[in-house]
Amino acid sequence: MDSLIVAAAQALAAGDVLGALKRVALRDDAPALALRGIAMAQLGDLVRAKALLKGAARAFGPREAVARARCVVAEAEIALVSRDLGWPERALETARIALEKHGDRINAGHARNLQIRRLLLIGHLDEAERLLAKLDPSPLPPAARASHELAVAGIAIRRLRIEPARAALARAAEAAGKAGIPALAIEVRDAARVLDEPAARLVARGSEKPLSLDEVEALLSSGVLVVDACRNVVRSGGETVSLASRPVLFALVRALAEAAPADAPRALLLHRAFRARHADESHRARLRVEIGRLRAALEPLAEISATPEGFALTPRGKRDVVVLAPPVEVENAPLLALLSDGESWSSSALSIALSTSPRTVQRALDALAAVGMVQSVGNGRACRWMMPPVVGFPTTLLLPGPLPSD
């Protein structure tokens, strides 16, 4: 490998994208194509970056298995950043195995980090933890170590283990500082900010207040009866009753919990569960049936008793009852939560992340676009969805910057 390629690679590792391009911009050999592809990805031109990396992979000969595998890993990283969740995961695993076989443990570890981050993005926490346990971070350089710690923190946050998450983010910040890459330091800082922002609302006795993740963790371990509207479960201590697949029952228990310790009127329960404006005998009969089902489901945690006006929820063991609600409750909130990361998503990627049909996602996107909450960029297969930029501030087209490095 000649000195210009080495110098360009060192410049990219240090975050000097333009310095790397100055050295290889006019070259079309395989190493130069690969470096140009990585540089264009960091500048934000992901389409051009993919084309360059594919060309580099074709240009490397059959004896250059390591170089070809590195191109596949770089292409997978671009797919992750561009939220192309349909990118073939098997190709990344094949590349990781090839890198590990040839002794490139650093890039093999980076490939494993990409696999874990993709699993986190689509909510497969158990599989992400399994892969994380197989990764030895000791040989990783500072930049890759920071990415590894971000994955550790991401799993801990989703498991509501906040102290381990803070420790992982502190290690990530230290590694990012050693790497000296500003974009990576910003990514770590933004991840750490999530821990101090409101993550949910506590609704109890007619009042509500915002909760941070630390407070949510403390609430769930306090032993009170929690009607969790973020996950549609009812829990107390180590016992959990899931009502995620029974929306009518969850609507009823939430209305009962919000009214506790008083009773909830029948008219309110009918409206919340069935959207009934004018109740008739059929509605009241159906309410009695659903209350019976709810009483059976919650039997280990609470009892439901009839009152002259409606029904009352009483936790067992003289415990308090509270509702844990999302910080903002609007229609299609999970979709907006994914788009709030600032990246542009395809509808197919959103469908994978939400585990729902592409048609359902597209209808939701069209509804959100009609009220100006999301916007589309591009047409056809190149169409991507994102949150509208803040009016009055320069967009990323005016202030281009490197994407976070993994």
Side-chain angles (χ1 to χ4, degrees):
M1 190 176 293
D2 59 60
S3 59
L4 280 178
I5 294 295
V6 172
Q10 291 174 342
L12 271 182
D16 183 9
V17 182
L18 296 180
L21 284 175
K22 286 179 182 178
R23 293 169 172 84
V24 295
L26 299 179
R27 295 178 51 166
D28 289 323
D29 53 297
L33 288 174
L35 290 172
R36 285 167 57 194
I38 296 171
M40 296 308 295
Q42 293 189 11
L43 287 174
D45 191 347
L46 303 183
V47 175
R48 180 63 176 156
K50 288 181 184 178
L52 288 167
L53 287 168
K54 286 183 181 293
R58 289 192 297 266
F60 281 116
R63 296 183 178 179
E64 298 173 295
V66 172
R68 293 168 66 91
R70 288 174 180 172
C71 288
V72 172
V73 173
E75 190 179 350
E77 184 172 1
I78 292 171
L80 181 68
V81 171
S82 60
R83 299 302 187 256
D84 182 9
L85 302 184
W87 192 85
E89 187 182 1
R90 184 174 298 178
L92 178 58
E93 176 62 12
T94 302
R96 188 196 65 79
I97 293 172
L99 291 169
E100 203 166 65
K101 179 181 177 181
H102 288 84
D104 189 355
R105 298 179 63 192
I106 293 177
N107 282 301
H110 181 54
R112 180 69 84 192
N113 273 336
L114 293 177
Q115 291 176 313
I116 294 169
R117 293 185 66 180
R118 180 184 181 276
L119 290 170
L120 278 176
L121 206 58
I122 61 178
H124 294 181
L125 298 187
D126 292 338
E127 191 174 353
E129 282 187 313
R130 181 179 60 81
L131 293 184
L132 189 65
K134 296 180 178 180
L135 176 59
D136 177 16
S138 57
L140 298 179
R145 177 68 69 88
S147 177
H148 169 74
E149 297 296 348
L150 283 173
V152 173
I155 292 175
I157 289 172
R158 287 162 177 78
R159 296 292 192 194
L160 280 179
R161 298 193 292 260
I162 307 305
E163 283 306 313
R166 289 189 187 278
L169 288 170
R171 295 192 297 269
E174 181 181 358
K178 291 180 180 178
I181 301 176
L184 183 58
I186 292 172
E187 183 181 8
V188 174
R189 183 195 66 194
D190 290 344
R193 188 180 300 161
V194 173
L195 297 180
D196 300 318
E197 293 179 346
R201 289 178 296 123
L202 176 68
V203 182
R205 299 179 183 271
S207 63
E208 63 179 62
K209 69 172 183 177
L211 297 180
S212 66
L213 284 171
D214 291 288
E215 293 169 323
V216 172
E217 182 184 21
L219 175 68
L220 296 181
S221 61
S222 64
V224 303
L225 183 69
V226 179
V227 177
D228 187 349
C230 300
R231 296 175 177 84
N232 285 13
V233 300
V234 181
R235 64 180 84 207
S236 179
E239 293 187 86
T240 301
V241 175
S242 176
L243 298 176
S245 61
R246 308 175 78 176
V248 171
L249 296 191
F250 187 80
L252 288 173
V253 73
R254 179 172 178 179
L256 290 168
E258 289 177 355
D263 59 351
R266 288 178 175 81
L268 174 64
L269 295 174
L270 288 169
H271 173 71
R272 295 283 290 273
F274 312 129
R275 299 292 188 267
R277 294 184 179 179
H278 305 288
D280 55 24
E281 187 56 36
S282 65
H283 286 111
R284 287 188 286 271
R286 186 182 176 190
L287 177 62
R288 288 193 295 271
V289 171
E290 298 297 345
I291 286 291
R293 291 172 176 168
L294 181 61
R295 185 181 286 119
L298 297 183
E299 197 276 335
L301 301 179
E303 57 185 33
I304 301 174
S305 55
T307 68
E309 298 297 327
F311 294 90
L313 177 69
T314 306
R316 299 192 184 279
K318 297 182 179 180
R319 292 172 290 190
D320 290 332
V321 55
V322 299
V323 174
L324 186 67
V328 177
E329 292 192 86
V330 295
E331 192 175 3
N332 301 312
L335 187 59
L336 290 172
L338 288 174
L339 292 173
S340 67
D341 67 356
E343 303 292 348
S344 57
W345 291 67
S346 66
S347 57
S348 60
L350 290 167
S351 172
I352 293 172
L354 293 171
S355 300
T356 188
S357 70
R359 187 182 296 273
T360 299
V361 169
Q362 190 60 55
R363 285 198 298 265
L365 288 169
D366 291 339
L368 291 171
V371 294
M373 299 183 73
V374 301
Q375 66 179 24
S376 61
V377 179
N379 297 302
R381 289 191 173 185
C383 181
R384 294 292 185 272
W385 295 87
M386 60 189 299
M387 302 285 277
V390 179
V391 178
F393 288 86
T395 68
T396 54
L397 294 177
L398 300 179
L399 295 174
L403 291 171
S405 171
D406 291 322

